């Protein structure tokens, strides 16, 4: 089991490396460290979003309200900043919003036992509407300069603070999920919810926790979005939920739950968000963006699933062979 | 799941459709009391124009969800078929009806590809149709580049006969689109509830293995539901193109969530095996009336309409969940004692 997990992440990492290598072959100017690191820097919003939804996907559920949560928390944080509150207060308010929506999602899915796609779909509509009510349909502009400039501050030579923070959070989350007892509960619940309950894991609480974490990550992504873009429209984050889910799939997570990791999700986010940049270097217009994304997603998933099915069948065949051999041995 | 053939559950279904009818009537009464203009047949039927594509597609997405799948690519196929229609007519000199057929055929192929991956390769429906929605949106954009017209302008100037598809009104009142919707609804009803194929769709949703062992080609059935929903999406795309008078590649971008909302509100289980065409049709009409009546009678801005629709969906699914689990009380949940399912 652990081996499979490892190979899945390494697969997507190799895929990313291969992609960078191939693009570099066609257009050598892509191979400069600045360009490649900028691919990573630009993915920071999606890294947070995908890492957040990875918790939910690992437990075998889905959350399509994260785009709206991103928009709402960005709007809430941005209005506070505009009205002269500090960055810490704005971030706290945004995280609070994300956690509350996540809590509602979690209770709906885990306690009321409503299919997650449908419940979060309803929440998505309501939250999207709340954004309009809150902002009165207007843009949130005139954010303080020290907040918008934060997105350009560099940690080291090329890496921004934000991406550094994202990497740190993903690594911590990854270690918690794979090394600690409580962290392994997430995968266990996703792998087999009923079985996890039987061995004493509080499956419902883990699911609620995963939604709260997802909400918090989305709201942090919202604040970073606000800092990078500099203004918030009421449609901010529209469609981001689908892209984040796609990033998770590219990163080797299975939507049935129990397979994958945060590291994989964040690599998927980098692949996802650098496609348009790569297209520019290949000389295509960005019109091909969606086509390539869809094509990549379908190809990877189909190959992955076919390979998995093949192994399952092969294993079953081998087990059968071993069993028949044993029986033959007993008789003799 | 086993009960779904028993008469008891059939009564619940009937009840559910009854509730939906009540909701529609209630909406109409409230809106009519507030603004008597609402009851004018021309206005009332005119309200259908904006939601007709949701109504048509959700009828056939019901099939997909009964087999236990989900289809979130329908919105992108609406745009794709609209732009194929436009480009084939304007830039390749097709007859407008031939172009419509071409658009429907292309949509069928798209649905077939997704259905093939889902049914024969065993990939999760959500992932495939997610990838499909990216792919077909992208292809739609690329097709629009084949045209001499700039893609953001959209292709216009369609012949009169094609535009009449949405402008014609039977007896001067009922728009032709509504008639198409009713015909499709009856067709879908017969197909799902009165034919062998429909029973097989249900059985696949209840238990795919059992269906397979009883001699049903389950994979073909699953694939066919995606083809059906894609073709219905292209029909909606053609009608929408006729109504708007322009072909664009992004006209279906916002449809996905309302479609799923309509299907779920109509009583279809997202886990499969249960659902009905009349339920979906009524739910779609209920949502449409709400979206139309609130701005007209209560001056609710168009942008806020997601809230009432979302709340309607949440209230109904939560209500249903609470009814299904009588042991669940708010107090016990707050105290952290969650009763077993």
């Amino acid at each position: 089991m652990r081996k499979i997990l490892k190979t899945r992440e390494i697969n997507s990492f190799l895929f990313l490396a291969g992609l960078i290598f191939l693009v570099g072959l066609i257009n050598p100017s892509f191979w400069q460290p600045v360009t490649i690191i900028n691919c990573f820097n630009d993915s920071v919003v999606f890294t947070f979003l995908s890492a957040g939804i990875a918790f939910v996907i690992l437990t075998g559920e889905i959350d399509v309200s994260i785009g709206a949560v991103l928009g709402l928390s960005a709007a809430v944080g941005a209005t506070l900043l505009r009205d002269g509150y500090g960055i810490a207060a704005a971030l706290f308010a945004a995280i609070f919003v994300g956690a509350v929506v996540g809590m509602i999602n979690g209770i709906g899915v885990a306690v009321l036992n409503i299919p997650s796609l449908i419940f979060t779909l309803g929440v998505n509509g309501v939250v999207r509407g709340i954004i309009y009510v809150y902002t009165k349909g207007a843009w949130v502009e005139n954010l303080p300069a020290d907040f918008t400039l934060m997105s350009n501050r560099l940690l080291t030579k090329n890496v921004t603070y934000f991406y550094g923070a994202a990497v740190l959070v993903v690594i911590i989350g990854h270690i918690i999920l794979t090394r600690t007892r409580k962290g392994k509960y997430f995968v266990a619940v996703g792998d087999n919810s009923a079985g996890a309950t039987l061995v004493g894991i509080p499956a419902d609480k883990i699911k609620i926790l995963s939604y709260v974490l997802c909400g918090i990550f989305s709201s942090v992504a919202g604040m970073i979005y606000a800092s990078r873009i500099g203004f918030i429209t009421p449609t901010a984050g529209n469609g981001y939920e689908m892209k984040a889910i796609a990033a998770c799939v590219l990163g080797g997570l299975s939507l049935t739950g129990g397979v994958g990791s945060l590291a994989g999700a964040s690599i998927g986010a980098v692949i996802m968000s650098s496609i348009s940049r790569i297209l520019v270097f290949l000389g295509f217009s960005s019109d091909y963006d969606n086509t390539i994304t869809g094509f990549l997603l379908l190809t990877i998933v189909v190959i992955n699933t076919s390979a998995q099915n093949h192994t399952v069948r092969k294993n079953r065949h081998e087990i059968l062979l071993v069993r028949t051999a044993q029986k033959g041995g007993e008789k003799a | 799941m086993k009960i779904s053939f028993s008469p008891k559950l059939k009564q619940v279904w009937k009840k559910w459709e009854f509730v939906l009818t009540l909701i529609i009537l209630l909406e109409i009464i409230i809106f009519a009391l507030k603004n008597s203009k609402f009851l004018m047949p021309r206005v009332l039927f005119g309200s259908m124009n904006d939601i007709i594509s949701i109504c048509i597609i959700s009828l056939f997405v019901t099939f997909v969800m009964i087999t236990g799948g989900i289809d979130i690519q329908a919105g992108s196929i609406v745009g794709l078929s609209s732009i194929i229609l436009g480009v084939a007519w304007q830039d390749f000199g097709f007859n407008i009806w031939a172009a419509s057929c071409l658009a429907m055929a292309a949509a069928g192929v798209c649905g077939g590809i997704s259905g093939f991956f889902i049914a024969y390769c065993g990939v999760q429906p959500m992932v495939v149709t997610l990838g499909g929605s990216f792919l077909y949106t992208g292809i739609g954009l690329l097709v629009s580049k084949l045209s001499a017209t700039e893609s953001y302008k959209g292709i216009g100037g369609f012949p009169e006969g094609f535009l009449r598809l949405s402008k014609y009104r039977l007896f001067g009142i009922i728009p032709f689109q509504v008639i198409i919707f009713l015909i499709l609804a009856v067709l879908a009803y017969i197909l799902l509830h009165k034919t062998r194929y429909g029973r097989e769709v249900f059985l696949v949703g209840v238990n795919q293995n059992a269906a397979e062992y009883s001699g049903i080609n389950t994979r073909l059935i699953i694939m066919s539901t995606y083809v059906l929903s894609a073709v219905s999406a292209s029909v909606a795309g053609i009608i929408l193109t006729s109504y708007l008078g322009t072909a664009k590649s992004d006209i279906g971008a916002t449809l996905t969530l309302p479609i799923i909302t309509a299907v779920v509100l109509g009583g279809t289980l997202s886990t499969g095996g249960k659902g009905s065409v009349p339920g979906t049709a009524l739910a779609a009409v209920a949502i449409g009336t709400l979206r139309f009546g609130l701005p007209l009678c209560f001056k609710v801005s168009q942008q806020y309409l997601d809230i009432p629709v979302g709340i309607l969906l949440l209230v109904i699914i939560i209500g249903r969940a609470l009814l299904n689990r009588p042991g669940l009380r708010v107090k016990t949940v707050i105290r952290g004692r969650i009763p077993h399912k």
Side-chain angles (χ1 to χ4, degrees), chain A residues 111, chain B residues 322 325-335 337 339:
Chain A
V111 179
Chain B
L322 289 178
R325 291 178 60 193
L328 197 66
R329 290 282 175 275
V330 177
K331 267 187 190 170
T332 52
V333 174
I334 290 173
R335 283 179 196 148
R337 287 187 217 130

Side-chain angles (χ1 to χ4, degrees), chain A residues 121-286:
Chain A
L121 196 63
V123 171
N124 178 59
V126 175
V127 174
R128 188 54 73 192
I130 292 176
I131 299 174
Y132 277 103
V133 174
Y134 183 77
T135 62
K136 299 191 183 63
W139 292 20
V140 184
E141 287 171 304
N142 300 328
L143 302 184
D146 54 339
F147 177 64
T148 48
L149 285 180
M150 255 174 81
S151 60
N152 294 330
R153 272 213 247 144
L154 298 180
L155 182 65
T156 59
K157 211 171 150 204
N158 291 317
V159 183
T160 57
Y161 263 103
F162 283 161
Y163 197 71
V167 169
L168 191 68
V169 168
V170 167
I171 289 175
I172 292 173
H174 188 86
I175 290 174
I176 289 176
L177 279 187
T178 50
R179 303 275 170 216
T180 66
R181 189 188 170 86
K182 286 259 157 77
K184 283 180 179 171
Y185 284 178
F186 284 90
V187 178
V189 169
D191 197 32
N192 183 347
S193 183
T197 313
L198 283 180
V199 296
I201 295 173
D204 289 342
K205 281 180 187 163
I206 291 288
K207 278 187 181 173
I208 296 177
L209 184 62
S210 74
Y211 273 101
V212 172
L213 283 172
C214 178
I216 291 174
F217 272 67
S218 315
S219 54
V220 173
M223 286 305 280
I224 291 174
Y225 177 91
S227 167
R228 287 173 63 91
I229 309 285
F231 57 88
I232 308 295
T233 65
T235 55
N238 233 354
Y240 274 35
E241 59 273 2
M242 292 306 168
K243 286 199 166 174
I245 295 169
C248 283
V249 174
L250 286 177
L253 274 82
S254 161
L255 288 196
T256 46
V259 179
S261 70
L262 279 198
S266 62
I267 293 169
V270 177
I271 300 176
M272 185 75 203
S273 62
S274 36
I275 285 176
S276 47
R277 184 179 284 264
I278 283 174
L279 282 176
V280 172
F281 275 89
L282 291 182
F284 288 105
S285 76
S286 59

Side-chain angles (χ1 to χ4, degrees), chain A residues 110-113 115 117-118 121-122 124-125 129 132 204 242 254-256 287 290-291 294 297-298 301-302 305 309, chain B residues 70 117 121-124 127-128 130-131 134-135 138 145 257 260 264 270 303-304 306-307 313 321 325 328 338 341:
Chain A
V111 179
L112 297 177
N113 216 12
L117 176 68
I118 288 153
L121 196 63
N124 178 59
Y132 277 103
D204 289 342
M242 292 306 168
S254 161
L255 288 196
T256 46
D287 295 337
N290 276 331
T291 317
L297 194 62
L298 283 180
V301 169
V302 168
T305 315
N309 288 350
Chain B
I70 192 155
F117 287 146
C121 302
V123 191
Q124 299 141 5
V127 184
V128 172
L130 175 67
F134 283 116
L135 186 61
K145 294 283 157 191
L257 302 192
I260 307 287
V264 171
S270 64
Q303 296 159 330
Y304 299 159
D306 281 343
I307 302 186
L313 180 68
R325 291 178 60 193
L328 197 66
I338 301 165
K341 283 152 201 167

